[in-house]
Amino acid sequence: MAWVKKSQSASTGNKKKKYPKIASGLLHLQTTSNNSIITFTDNNGNVIATAGTGRVGFKGSKESSAYAAEMATKHVLGIAKNDCGLKEVGVLCKGVGLGRDGMFKAINELGGIDITWIKDVTPLRFGGTKGKRPKRN
């Protein structure tokens, strides 16, 4: 008895993802000492597009660079601008890392998107718990 291959269904083809049309949204920039994550949401907080530095081809210690964060931001903003029709964006920046400069550089370089506001939402400790003891040599 011969084996018959199943035909591929139409849903497995390379279809382009459909994005909602949004005129304004929020760009969440999270940067740490090891990685940078960029998320584009609508004004209600529903995630539209997201990317980290590993998504655009950087691995290991290169993920923490400003250039990697710049490329990831350009990737997300390209989706937001071309597919969603983004015109203006509010920016929420969280964390202290090298990628912070690259992210803002990418927003300015891309053009065509107005930045309505920039807010730093980095959590700051005040008081808190007792720290770890210093190491003895």
Side-chain angles (χ1 to χ4, degrees):
M1 182 170 153
W3 292 95
V4 179
K5 286 187 177 181
K6 290 185 180 179
S7 63
Q8 291 184 352
S9 63
S11 64
T12 59
N14 291 335
K15 287 186 178 179
K16 190 166 182 171
K17 185 175 178 181
K18 294 192 179 194
Y19 294 99
K21 298 296 180 192
I22 296 172
S24 67
L26 300 174
L27 191 66
H28 299 265
L29 311 174
Q30 180 184 358
T31 178
T32 64
S33 58
N34 295 324
N35 199 4
S36 298
I37 300 169
I38 298 91
T39 306
F40 172 65
T41 64
D42 61 5
N43 289 327
N44 295 329
N46 300 320
V47 176
I48 308 297
T50 185
T53 51
R55 172 90 183 256
V56 290
F58 295 92
K59 297 293 178 190
S61 62
K62 297 177 197 75
E63 286 184 352
S64 62
S65 67
Y67 181 69
E70 181 181 345
M71 298 308 292
T73 306
K74 283 183 180 179
H75 175 76
V76 171
L77 286 177
I79 292 172
K81 184 178 176 184
N82 300 331
D83 298 336
C84 298
L86 182 70
K87 299 290 183 204
E88 59 183 24
V89 68
V91 180
L92 293 165
C93 189
K94 183 177 184 178
V96 288
L98 294 173
R100 216 172 150 118
D101 299 329
M103 291 178 193
F104 289 116
K105 184 178 176 186
I107 294 170
N108 289 331
E109 280 182 3
L110 198 59
I113 298 174
D114 296 329
I115 300 172
T116 54
W117 48 267
I118 298 173
K119 186 175 180 183
D120 187 13
V121 291
T122 305
L124 297 174
R125 279 185 52 201
F126 50 95
T129 59
K130 184 178 175 183
K132 290 176 69 174
R133 67 165 178 81
K135 286 189 176 181
R136 282 183 252 159
N137 290 335

